[in-house]
Amino acid sequence: MSSSVASASTIRKVKNSYRGKLPLSIITIIICGFAFLALLYTDTISPLSSKYSALKSKSCPNKSSIKRSREKPKEDNFTNSLLDDRFDFDPEECDVAHGKWVYNKSIKPLYTDRSCPYLDRQVSCVKNGRLDSKYRHWEWQPDDCTLPRFNPETVLRKLKGKKLMFVGDSLQRGQWQSFVCMVESVIPEDMKSLRRGKFHSVFTAKEYDATIEFYWAPFLVESNSDNPIIGDPKKRILRVDTVAKHAQHWVDKDILVFNTYVWWMSGLKIKALWGSFANGELGNEELDTWVGYKIGLKTWANWVDSTINPNKTRVFFTTMSPTHTRSEDWGRINGTKCFNETKPITNRKFWGSGSNKQIMSVVASVIGKMKVPVTFVNVTQLSDYRIDAHSSIYTETGGSLLTEEQKADPRHHADCIHWCLPGVPDTWNQIFFAHL
């Protein structure tokens, strides 16, 4: 009450002191001044408010904010990456598995199969004669958020003093090669090296005291086909109860990225061995593939839970990479597997026969019960749309490029399992980077 009286008294004094001196104009000026200061104050705190709100909620930016950013004048790739990376990425609120592929001709891969010297010929499609390169310019856009751009310098800073290892089959090797090629161009020639081995390959970024490694273990558990590879799936035998031989190479890593799928899918049954291979056929029995997979994955999970210190090592699991060997799956009755496909599938409900839901359910069940946290790099659905991005006839077999005669017979020779690089595995690594 006293403050109100004081305010009224002050107003009367002001009125009396300006009686006869155009009080309306002065009042107008005062009001305008306060309005200007209020507007200035609002503009100043708005971006800060947005920033701290985002940090607290950790939500992905909504589509309207993304659209406004994209409607700004064209900027270079670096500036655009800064715009995208302003937003915190929260995998709990950003479901990267649901979205669509959008063609963007302005997107340029961080490397090509000619510029990166570390790519296998198996995945160097353009170098092997593929004429269309549109498959390189499709960008994955999740429905409710945006993925951070893959920034090589940022990635290398995150890996400083660390050992990153990808473990799995040739598809996981493709993800490893993609990752190496995405970062190597910013490293001086004398500060990087690659040592290849039959099981274990190591890329070293000397300046960052970091390694990016690949370890060959197509089943994760041991098998008689680890090396040398046995071509006939019926002769392959798996020791589903142990990962010991392989795991000795995993123990000192800071980041582990595992995957296993395609090698299990060679038939309805697998041969499982209990005990040593030295026992021959003793303990060998046939199991349904999904049963053997579940036992093998539990063996891996038990090793992780009993060995890995989550305070030192982060563990990731890349979900299954789809195959596209049945063109009937996407309605092309007279098609030949993935041969001559040039665009992704746009049907959001598509799920091909090359993605086994039972296996995916096993992965979710086993990993969901583990003590050590394992982060999924969920690539299955988004990759299932990409019938256009496989190496097809632009690949090699038996160490040699396909002959013209073999290229003319895609039904028997088109590779609809592996991916061209640069290509889809780059998006896998963009998702992996977002989790880092």
Side-chain angles (χ1 to χ4, degrees):
M1 180 67 72
S2 60
S3 61
S4 300
V5 173
S7 298
S9 175
T10 303
I11 293 171
R12 282 195 297 271
K13 289 179 180 178
V14 170
K15 285 183 177 180
N16 292 335
S17 62
Y18 285 94
R19 186 167 293 165
K21 295 184 180 181
L22 300 176
L24 182 60
S25 301
I26 294 173
I27 292 171
T28 302
I29 292 171
I30 292 172
I31 292 173
C32 290
F34 277 117
F36 175 77
L37 289 173
L39 180 61
L40 182 62
Y41 177 75
T42 302
D43 288 344
T44 302
I45 67 170
S46 290
L48 294 174
S49 300
S50 301
K51 177 181 177 183
Y52 288 111
S53 174
L55 288 172
K56 288 176 183 176
S57 65
K58 287 188 174 291
S59 61
C60 290
N62 59 41
K63 283 295 180 184
S64 59
S65 64
I66 299 169
K67 186 175 180 181
R68 284 195 296 273
S69 295
R70 288 177 181 158
E71 287 173 351
K72 292 180 180 180
K74 292 182 179 179
E75 296 160 302
D76 58 34
N77 289 336
F78 178 73
T79 304
N80 286 333
S81 71
L82 289 179
L83 283 174
D84 283 345
D85 291 344
R86 288 182 305 175
F87 304 107
D88 267 2
F89 175 83
D90 185 351
E92 292 183 3
E93 297 196 27
C94 179
D95 183 1
V96 299
H98 294 91
K100 61 183 178 181
W101 288 98
V102 177
Y103 185 73
N104 186 346
K105 192 174 181 180
S106 66
I107 292 177
K108 291 184 179 180
L110 292 170
Y111 65 98
T112 70
D113 53 5
R114 295 184 185 278
S115 68
C116 182
Y118 307 119
L119 288 181
D120 289 342
R121 191 159 56 170
Q122 181 186 39
V123 296
S124 302
C125 300
V126 172
K127 198 173 181 179
N128 294 338
R130 180 166 181 170
L131 297 179
D132 73 291
S133 59
K134 287 186 176 180
Y135 68 91
R136 297 178 172 189
H137 300 288
W138 290 92
E139 180 180 35
W140 179 248
Q141 291 185 359
D143 287 334
D144 301 314
C145 53
T146 186
L147 285 174
R149 296 287 186 191
F150 189 99
N151 187 307
E153 291 88 353
T154 302
V155 170
L156 288 168
R157 286 195 295 270
K158 285 178 179 287
L159 294 180
K160 189 174 180 62
K162 292 183 170 59
K163 296 178 180 179
L164 161 64
M165 175 178 274
F166 293 87
V167 181
D169 55 20
S170 54
L171 289 160
Q172 195 74 338
R173 183 171 60 217
Q175 185 178 1
W176 166 69
Q177 289 183 10
S178 161
F179 196 96
V180 168
C181 288
M182 291 172 84
V183 302
E184 68 88 20
S185 63
V186 301
I187 305 172
E189 285 296 328
D190 61 341
M191 297 300 290
K192 58 189 174 185
S193 64
L194 177 66
R195 176 178 57 81
R196 289 185 183 270
K198 290 183 178 179
F199 276 95
H200 189 191
S201 298
V202 181
F203 174 83
T204 302
K206 300 174 186 177
E207 181 181 359
Y208 295 89
D209 187 28
T211 60
I212 303 168
E213 309 176 34
F214 171 72
Y215 184 85
W216 171 260
F219 297 102
L220 296 186
V221 295
E222 296 176 25
S223 82
N224 67 342
S225 186
D226 291 336
N227 188 46
I229 293 172
I230 296 175
D232 185 356
K234 294 180 180 179
K235 295 181 179 179
R236 296 173 184 167
I237 302 174
L238 280 63
R239 288 188 64 188
V240 292
D241 61 342
T242 181
V243 295
K245 182 180 75 174
H246 299 316
Q248 60 183 314
H249 300 278
W250 308 342
V251 290
D252 64 336
K253 308 309 177 209
D254 300 285
I255 305 169
L256 288 163
V257 187
F258 294 96
N259 165 262
T260 183
Y261 171 64
V262 169
W263 276 58
W264 293 84
M265 306 309 296
S266 57
L268 297 176
K269 301 280 187 179
I270 59 108
K271 287 183 179 179
L273 180 70
W274 311 97
S276 170
F277 285 114
N279 295 332
E281 294 296 316
L282 294 177
N284 182 348
E285 66 173 305
E286 281 196 343
L287 300 173
D288 288 340
T289 295
W290 76 269
V291 173
Y293 186 93
K294 186 172 186 177
I295 295 171
L297 198 65
K298 281 186 174 181
T299 298
W300 164 83
N302 288 337
W303 177 86
V304 171
D305 278 344
S306 63
T307 311
I308 293 298
N309 177 0
N311 294 319
K312 178 188 180 298
T313 303
R314 292 192 65 185
V315 181
F316 294 83
F317 194 94
T318 304
T319 62
M320 59 188 177
S321 173
T323 63
H324 294 106
T325 58
R326 284 176 45 87
S327 57
E328 296 91 340
D329 285 353
W330 53 92
R332 200 177 294 281
I333 306 301
N334 298 320
T336 308
K337 302 197 289 187
C338 65
F339 174 67
N340 264 356
E341 297 293 349
T342 58
K343 292 181 179 180
I345 291 170
T346 56
N347 178 8
R348 298 282 291 269
K349 296 181 180 180
F350 176 78
W351 187 276
S353 58
S355 302
N356 189 299
K357 288 189 175 182
Q358 191 171 29
I359 293 294
M360 202 157 188
S361 177
V362 167
V363 171
S365 173
V366 171
I367 292 180
K369 296 174 183 176
M370 292 175 65
K371 294 184 296 183
V372 172
V374 176
T375 302
F376 283 113
V377 182
N378 194 344
V379 303
T380 304
Q381 182 66 81
L382 66 92
S383 303
D384 211 7
Y385 299 135
R386 294 304 304 274
I387 57 175
D388 59 313
H390 290 288
S391 49
S392 186
I393 60 172
Y394 307 102
T395 187
E396 65 175 4
T397 181
S400 301
L401 291 176
L402 297 188
T403 65
E404 291 304 316
E405 185 179 356
Q406 288 171 325
K407 288 181 180 179
D409 184 15
R411 185 169 299 279
H412 293 99
H413 296 286
D415 180 353
C416 299
I417 296 174
H418 298 94
W419 306 94
C420 295
L421 289 178
V424 170
D426 299 341
T427 299
W428 301 354
N429 283 322
Q430 188 181 0
I431 294 170
F432 171 50
F433 165 65
H435 285 289
L436 282 178

